[in-house]
Amino acid sequence: MRTPIIAGNWKMNKNPKETTEFVNAVKADLPASDKVESVIGAPAVDLQALLDAAKGSNLKVAAENSYFEDEGAFTGETSPKVLSEMGVDYVIIGHSERRQYFKETDEDINKKAKAIFANNMLPIICCGETLEQREAGQTNDWVSGQITNALKGLSADQVASLVIAYEPIWAIGTGKTASSDQAQEVCHVLRETVAKLYDQTTASKVRIQYGGSVKPANVKELMGKEDIDGGLVGGASLVPDSFLELVNFNA
Ligand code: G2H
C-alpha cells in the first residue's frame, strides 16, 4: 500500500514570518504521517523557518530546487548537502517552471536526483506536456521519456522510494485541471514506464502525484484514481484552511 502524499509547492511566495504563521495555523490538524504524508515545499529563504516551526509535527519539508554539486564555486546555487544537514526531507526537481525559465534539462534533473539520494533526501521529480504536445498526441511518449531520462543510473530501491509528479503544463496555475481520467491515464503510463525500466514491484511502490490546479473541490476525485497517490499543489497550498482540507481529503 502506498501512503498518499500531498505536497504544497509554494513557488516564490511567503517570507519567513508568514511561513511560521502558516505552520502554526496547520500543525495541530495534520493527519498522521502513516495515513497521509503532508509536505510543504518552500523557497530556500524560508526553509529554516519552516523546519523550526514544523519540528515535532507531522509536517515534512521540501526544498523547491537544489544544485547537483555539494559545494564549490557555483554562485547563487543551493547545496543538497546543506539542505540535508538542515533536516529537509524532499527536493522538488524538474518543475516545468524551472525547465522553462531556468533551462533545466533532463540531464540536470538526473544529476540532481543522484545528488539528492547521495544526501539522504528524496526527490519529487516533475514531468508534463504542453498543450501542443497533448493535442499532437505526444503526451505519453513525452512524459515517459522525461522520466526515463531522470531515472538513469538509479537503483530499483531508490526509484521505489521517490515521488513522480505528473503536471500537465496547460493545467498549471490556469484553473484548468486535467480531468481525473486524463490524469489517471498518464499516471498509469508513468507507472508502466517504471515497470519496464525496473520491475512490477518497483512500479507498485513508486508514488505518483498529479499537479495542476489541485484544490479542495477536486482532490477527492483525483485521489480516488488507482495510479494517483498524491497531489503537488501550488495556489491552493498557500492558505492554511485550504491546505488542511487537501491533506485531510480522506478524513
Ligand atoms: C503546478 C502546481 C504546483 P498550481 O505547478 O506544482 O501549481 O496548483 O497552482 O497549478
Side-chain angles (χ1 to χ4, degrees):
M1 268 307 286
R2 300 182 292 267
T3 306
I5 175 166
I6 304 284
N9 172 16
W10 280 355
K11 308 194 176 184
M12 201 174 72
N13 292 294
K14 295 197 191 290
N15 62 29
K17 182 169 174 279
E18 291 162 342
T19 299
T20 306
E21 287 165 0
F22 178 98
V23 178
N24 288 339
V26 302
K27 67 179 175 188
D29 297 314
L30 298 168
S33 312
D34 58 347
K35 293 263 162 24
V36 176
E37 244 187 286
S38 310
V39 183
I40 287 289
V45 288
D46 295 327
L47 286 173
Q48 193 60 61
L50 182 56
L51 287 157
D52 288 346
K55 207 164 274 169
S57 78
N58 290 329
L59 188 64
K60 295 198 177 164
V61 171
E64 294 177 14
N65 182 32
S66 81
Y67 196 49
F68 48 76
E69 297 285 355
D70 283 351
E71 59 195 6
F74 304 105
T75 302
E77 289 296 327
T78 302
S79 160
K81 178 165 174 269
V82 176
L83 290 175
S84 175
E85 287 167 357
M86 288 170 74
V88 167
D89 305 288
Y90 290 95
V91 185
I92 301 168
I93 52 174
H95 191 280
S96 61
E97 288 151 16
R98 294 216 52 89
R99 293 178 190 258
Q100 182 183 351
Y101 304 132
F102 305 100
K103 308 295 172 232
E104 251 181 45
T105 64
D106 283 355
E107 195 189 345
D108 295 331
I109 292 156
N110 178 244
K111 286 186 192 163
K112 289 180 182 197
K114 288 175 180 160
I116 290 160
F117 275 115
N119 284 292
N120 302 311
M121 299 178 290
L122 295 172
I124 297 176
I125 305 177
C126 306
C127 62
E129 82 287 4
T130 62
L131 190 56
E132 296 72 52
Q133 288 170 320
R134 173 159 284 269
E135 286 172 349
Q138 297 163 347
T139 299
N140 294 352
D141 286 347
W142 176 255
V143 298
S144 171
Q146 284 182 312
I147 289 305
T148 300
N149 291 335
L151 300 184
K152 269 184 192 145
L154 297 183
S155 70
D157 282 351
Q158 287 174 325
V159 174
S161 69
L162 59 73
V163 179
I164 294 172
Y166 166 56
E167 299 206 320
I169 296 170
W170 48 273
I172 294 179
T174 57
K176 280 186 205 156
T177 321
S179 72
S180 54
D181 286 339
Q182 284 173 319
Q184 159 61 24
E185 184 190 340
V186 182
C187 290
H188 183 71
V189 165
L190 290 166
R191 200 175 301 286
E192 285 301 299
T193 303
V194 172
K196 274 184 215 137
L197 292 170
Y198 293 85
D199 51 61
Q200 281 298 343
T201 310
T202 307
S204 71
K205 287 184 181 163
V206 66
R207 289 181 296 173
I208 306 180
Q209 296 175 315
Y210 166 76
S213 300
V214 176
K215 42 189 180 277
N218 59 25
V219 68
K220 221 177 176 147
E221 184 178 343
L222 287 160
M223 294 299 297
K225 295 291 177 185
E226 192 179 338
D227 288 294
I228 302 179
D229 308 311
L232 186 57
V233 190
S237 73
L238 291 165
V239 179
D241 284 354
S242 149
F243 183 71
L244 282 175
E245 280 191 62
L246 290 165
V247 295
N248 289 302
F249 72 92
N250 62 0

